[in-house]
Amino acid sequence: MEFPLDLLLNAIVAGILLGGFYAAVSVGLSISFGMLDIVNIAHPAFIILGAFVAYLANTTIGADPIVTTVVLSPAFFALGAAIYQVYYLSFEKRGHESLRSLAFFFGLMFITEVSLLLVFGVDYRTVQAAYIGPSLALGGVGLPLRLFVPCLVSIAMVVLLQVFLQKTFTGRCILAVAQNQVALQLMGADPIRIRRIAFGLSIATAAIAGAFLITIQPVEPSIGRDYIGRVFAVCVLGGMGSLPGTLLAAVILGVAESFTATFYGPSWAPAVSFGILLLTLACRPAGLLGR
Amino acid sequence: MSPTAFLAAAAAVAVAVFVAATTVGNEYVYFAGYTVLQYIVLATAWNILGGYTGYVNFGSAGFFAIGAYTTVVIYKTLQLPLLVAIPLCGLTTAILGLGMGYLTLRLRGVFFAIATLAMAIVLHTLIVNWPFVGGARGVYIIRPRDVAFFDGYMQFLFAVMLALAVIAVWIARLVERSRLGRGLAAIRDDELAAECAGVPTLKLKLISTTLSGFLMGVAGAPFPYYVTYVDPNGAFNLAYAVNSIAMPLIGGMTSWAGPLIGAILLGTLQQVATVTISSALSLLIVGVLLVLFVTLAPNGLVGLFAALSQRRRHG
Amino acid sequence: MVETILAATDIGKRFGGFVALEGIDFAVRRGERVGVLGPNGSGKSTLVNCLTGVLRNETGEIVFDGQRIDGLATHQRIRRGISRTFQIPRPFASMTVRENVEIALLYAGRLATTGPGVAGAGDAAAILDLVGLGAKADESSGQLTQVDLRKLELARAMATRPRLLIADEAMAGLSRAEVDEILALLLRLNAEGISIVMIEHIMYAVMKFSQRLCVLVAGRKIADGDPDAVVKDPEVERAYLGD
């Protein structure tokens, strides 16, 4: 019975590493959907955009994919802020228009995907970095660096965001936005500006997660669709806007997918997130750490 | 106009379109026309749930594909003729819509939208993993050699889709003007107020998802015979999901005319752009138009016309 | 015929750890006008929501016209003859004033064949005339003024042919003249045999309207009885006017 135990341990470790990556993928949505109540279904499209930016920098000037997106994150922040401005003027200001704002983000997702398709084609793209390839071995358990490095950076990013939200004035304003607008006005902050900053942040994290993605696996423009179920499953399971909940939910999804891939085959993995999402919505819509 | 008179008028228009197409006598007209007609059915189906009831379905491609794959299953097992298969395909996706609605419609509207998005991906996964219908590699369908009354199978498919489009638009108009349609409109405006006005909201929403699902499956049913080779990437193409949302939004969502106008305009535009430029670029145009209309002209073309004629009357 | 039209006993509702309602007994007799008073957050709206099925009560039972209704969905309770208005008006904004009323007539009004309704008012026009919106029947409901929106709420509630009407702060934010207008309307409806529960902040309106007054504080009923006696109750004075 040595072999199955090995397989089991490997599946657990791979799942946890994958979960760390999923946390980065979903944390932005936990901010936009969970805290701001903006249903940004285009979130995965921005991840893919980040992945292709990392790819361009890597193939042209040999830059490290993760460093690239971190350095360029202000640009993505600005992109997010600009999108929020359009969203605000078109939907929030005119009153509640959930149907059309959903269609708006769906359109953005589609435009991003088709544009990338027009520029890069349908081929899978990869990047080069020192940590892609080698693997640490702990006993019989493999620890591939291409998963380990994104996982570490991702956890650092989530922790940093949590510190930002709790320790800085702007961060506390964002949390106040999530609770109620009145409290925010008492703090003397402009709710629109706070929401713009928060949405910018969420897009910046998506771009950085894109660099992780292309480090972990080859990327093509339509791959973002596989992440829609995942990001929303993690966000809802994590309790809509709780970062520790997001991290925990991401690890649960990672382990569940890793098990499914190991014992049933990788082609079933996309169904796992949907199952988790539906189960959560049916049984515990408040999420794991919800009240 | 009474429903019967409308049906007669729509049928007359359909016959005129068919005669016009035969006088062109070019196989390509049937080919391109079929696609536009298919979008009329799909957009009209989407609008029953989206426009009338106010619930966004991102999974049109999933419903369409399940309709198409039901035809594949029937082709490989019972070998029933297409005209018998079509209602069975509709039945399959009607059940799918009902189940989907039952699971998610008790929750906030956005969760329904997200669930439909995820559902299309899961259905895709299921089909990829089902070797009987060809799995990821796809499956070939052989068209019957000839068909009675028609000059070739493509002409027959064109006529079938034309009839389906007439039926879909007729059903949409019927719903719109019925007690059901007014209840759906109340749900769209304010669900809690509707419930408190005595509207059985959950039941009406389930009827809406079921009917919408039925028509989407019907739209996909002849697809295998149209392409003769079905694979998951073709049947689950995101273009179906985008178009079925973009067409009603651009045309106008509150009446049957909106999706019809949107489908004819956008469908034709895409056919032209695909031939003259490329299919990817034509999809990009749809995406850009969708975003532009949603932000700048939220009531679509029908809304723009109404605003224009009102201004003329008052000014 | 049962003398009591609505009898709710031991109603309890929690939101997580927060107790919104506890052990509420609330009864309304046929044709009675009952006022419900209470500070913000005292559970008034939660009580309305539990009675109409928008929320489910966790403890207790609700009997309407001799039958248990606490398992029923909202639209089923509406069809049995409980109707309500909303604190913040919720018109069907894409429809005209007339169409708003027609929805309720189509889905609830025609089913209630017994019980007092608007005398001879089989259609939307009569109901709109009754509340004074007859001239605005074809206007878009999204563009009405506040007071007209309150009237539309009442018109839509009346179209369901209620035997019990719960008016949830139907006068908040209105001028004195407008309050009097709505008040007169409610008294007229009551005169036709409809029992009315008025949830209200405006003391003047409550005192003028109510035959009986209940006071809720922090999810509990602290007083129930003759309005003049209730407002002089020291416990009510303390809770309502502050220490």
Coordinates of all heavy atoms in Angstrom, one line a residue, chain C residues 6-34:
Chain C
L6 N -57.0 38.2 12.5 CA -55.6 37.8 12.5 C -55.2 37.5 13.9 O -55.5 38.3 14.8 CB -54.7 38.9 11.9 CG -53.3 38.6 12.0 CD1 -52.8 37.7 10.8 CD2 -52.4 39.9 12.1
A7 N -54.6 36.4 14.2 CA -54.1 36.0 15.5 C -52.7 35.5 15.4 O -52.5 34.3 14.9 CB -55.0 35.1 16.2
A8 N -51.7 36.2 15.8 CA -50.4 35.8 15.8 C -49.9 35.6 17.2 O -50.1 36.5 18.0 CB -49.4 36.8 15.1
T9 N -49.4 34.4 17.5 CA -49.0 34.1 18.9 C -47.6 33.7 19.0 O -47.1 32.9 18.2 CB -49.9 33.0 19.5 OG1 -50.1 32.0 18.5 CG2 -51.3 33.5 19.9
D10 N -46.9 34.3 20.0 CA -45.5 33.9 20.3 C -44.6 34.0 19.1 O -43.7 33.1 18.9 CB -45.5 32.5 20.9 CG -44.1 32.2 21.5 OD1 -43.5 33.1 22.0 OD2 -43.7 31.0 21.5
I11 N -44.7 35.1 18.3 CA -43.8 35.2 17.1 C -42.4 35.5 17.5 O -42.2 36.5 18.3 CB -44.4 36.3 16.2 CG1 -45.8 36.0 15.7 CG2 -43.5 36.5 15.0 CD1 -46.0 34.7 15.0
G12 N -41.5 34.8 17.0 CA -40.0 35.0 17.3 C -39.2 35.0 16.0 O -39.5 34.2 15.1
K13 N -38.2 35.8 15.9 CA -37.4 35.9 14.7 C -36.0 36.4 15.1 O -35.9 37.4 15.8 CB -38.0 36.8 13.7 CG -37.1 37.0 12.4 CD -37.2 35.7 11.5 CE -36.2 35.8 10.4 NZ -36.1 34.6 9.6
R14 N -35.0 35.6 14.7 CA -33.6 36.1 15.0 C -32.9 36.3 13.7 O -33.1 35.6 12.7 CB -32.8 35.0 15.7 CG -33.2 34.8 17.2 CD -32.7 33.5 17.7 NE -33.1 33.2 19.0 CZ -32.5 33.6 20.1 NH1 -31.3 34.2 20.0 NH2 -32.9 33.4 21.3
F15 N -31.9 37.2 13.6 CA -31.0 37.3 12.5 C -29.6 37.0 13.1 O -29.0 37.9 13.7 CB -31.0 38.7 11.9 CG -32.3 39.1 11.3 CD1 -33.1 40.0 11.9 CD2 -32.8 38.4 10.1 CE1 -34.4 40.4 11.3 CE2 -34.0 38.8 9.6 CZ -34.8 39.7 10.2
G16 N -29.1 35.8 12.9 CA -27.9 35.4 13.5 C -28.1 35.5 15.0 O -29.0 34.8 15.6
G17 N -27.3 36.2 15.7 CA -27.4 36.3 17.2 C -28.4 37.4 17.6 O -28.8 37.5 18.8
F18 N -28.8 38.3 16.6 CA -29.6 39.4 17.0 C -31.1 39.0 17.1 O -31.7 38.4 16.1 CB -29.4 40.5 15.9 CG -30.3 41.7 16.1 CD1 -30.1 42.6 17.1 CD2 -31.4 41.9 15.2 CE1 -30.9 43.7 17.3 CE2 -32.2 43.0 15.4 CZ -32.0 43.9 16.4
V19 N -31.7 39.3 18.2 CA -33.1 38.9 18.4 C -34.0 40.1 17.9 O -34.0 41.2 18.4 CB -33.4 38.7 19.9 CG1 -34.9 38.3 20.0 CG2 -32.6 37.6 20.4
A20 N -34.7 39.8 16.7 CA -35.5 40.9 16.1 C -36.9 40.9 16.7 O -37.5 42.0 16.9 CB -35.5 40.7 14.6
L21 N -37.4 39.8 17.0 CA -38.8 39.7 17.6 C -38.7 38.5 18.6 O -38.1 37.5 18.4 CB -39.8 39.3 16.5 CG -40.2 40.4 15.5 CD1 -41.2 39.8 14.5 CD2 -40.8 41.6 16.2
E22 N -39.4 38.7 19.7 CA -39.5 37.6 20.7 C -40.8 37.6 21.4 O -41.3 38.6 21.9 CB -38.4 37.8 21.7 CG -38.1 36.5 22.5 CD -36.9 36.6 23.4 OE1 -36.4 37.7 23.5 OE2 -36.6 35.6 24.1
G23 N -41.5 36.5 21.3 CA -42.7 36.3 22.0 C -43.8 37.3 21.8 O -44.5 37.7 22.7
I24 N -44.0 37.7 20.5 CA -45.0 38.7 20.2 C -46.3 38.0 20.0 O -46.5 37.1 19.2 CB -44.6 39.4 18.8 CG1 -43.2 40.1 18.9 CG2 -45.7 40.4 18.4 CD1 -43.2 41.4 19.6
D25 N -47.3 38.5 20.7 CA -48.7 38.1 20.5 C -49.4 39.4 19.9 O -49.3 40.5 20.4 CB -49.4 37.8 21.8 CG -48.9 36.5 22.4 OD1 -48.5 35.6 21.7 OD2 -48.8 36.5 23.7
F26 N -50.0 39.1 18.7 CA -50.6 40.2 18.0 C -51.9 39.8 17.3 O -51.9 38.9 16.5 CB -49.6 40.7 16.9 CG -50.1 42.0 16.2 CD1 -50.0 43.2 16.9 CD2 -50.5 41.9 14.9 CE1 -50.4 44.4 16.2 CE2 -50.9 43.1 14.2 CZ -50.9 44.3 14.9
A27 N -53.0 40.4 17.7 CA -54.3 40.0 17.1 C -55.0 41.3 16.6 O -54.9 42.4 17.1 CB -55.1 39.3 18.2
V28 N -55.8 41.0 15.6 CA -56.6 42.1 15.0 C -58.0 41.6 14.8 O -58.2 40.5 14.3 CB -56.1 42.5 13.6 CG1 -56.9 43.6 13.0 CG2 -54.6 43.0 13.7
R29 N -59.0 42.4 15.3 CA -60.4 42.0 15.1 C -60.9 42.4 13.8 O -60.3 43.3 13.2 CB -61.2 42.5 16.3 CG -61.0 41.8 17.6 CD -62.1 42.1 18.6 NE -62.4 43.6 18.7 CZ -61.7 44.4 19.5 NH1 -60.7 43.9 20.2 NH2 -62.0 45.6 19.6
R30 N -62.0 41.8 13.4 CA -62.6 42.2 12.1 C -63.0 43.7 12.1 O -63.6 44.1 13.1 CB -63.8 41.4 11.9 CG -63.9 40.7 10.6 CD -65.0 39.7 10.6 NE -64.5 38.4 10.6 CZ -64.0 37.7 9.6 NH1 -63.8 38.3 8.5 NH2 -63.5 36.5 9.7
G31 N -62.6 44.4 11.1 CA -62.9 45.8 11.0 C -62.2 46.8 12.0 O -62.5 48.0 12.0
E32 N -61.2 46.3 12.7 CA -60.5 47.1 13.7 C -59.4 47.9 13.0 O -58.9 47.6 12.0 CB -59.9 46.2 14.7 CG -59.5 46.9 16.0 CD -58.9 45.9 17.0 OE1 -58.5 44.8 16.6 OE2 -58.8 46.3 18.2
R33 N -59.1 49.1 13.7 CA -58.0 49.9 13.3 C -56.9 49.8 14.4 O -57.2 50.3 15.5 CB -58.4 51.3 13.1 CG -59.4 51.6 12.1 CD -59.6 53.1 11.7 NE -59.9 53.9 12.9 CZ -61.2 54.1 13.3 NH1 -62.2 53.6 12.6 NH2 -61.4 54.9 14.3
V34 N -55.8 49.2 14.1 CA -54.8 49.0 15.1 C -53.5 49.8 14.7 O -53.1 49.8 13.6 CB -54.4 47.5 15.3 CG1 -53.3 47.4 16.4 CG2 -55.6 46.7 15.5

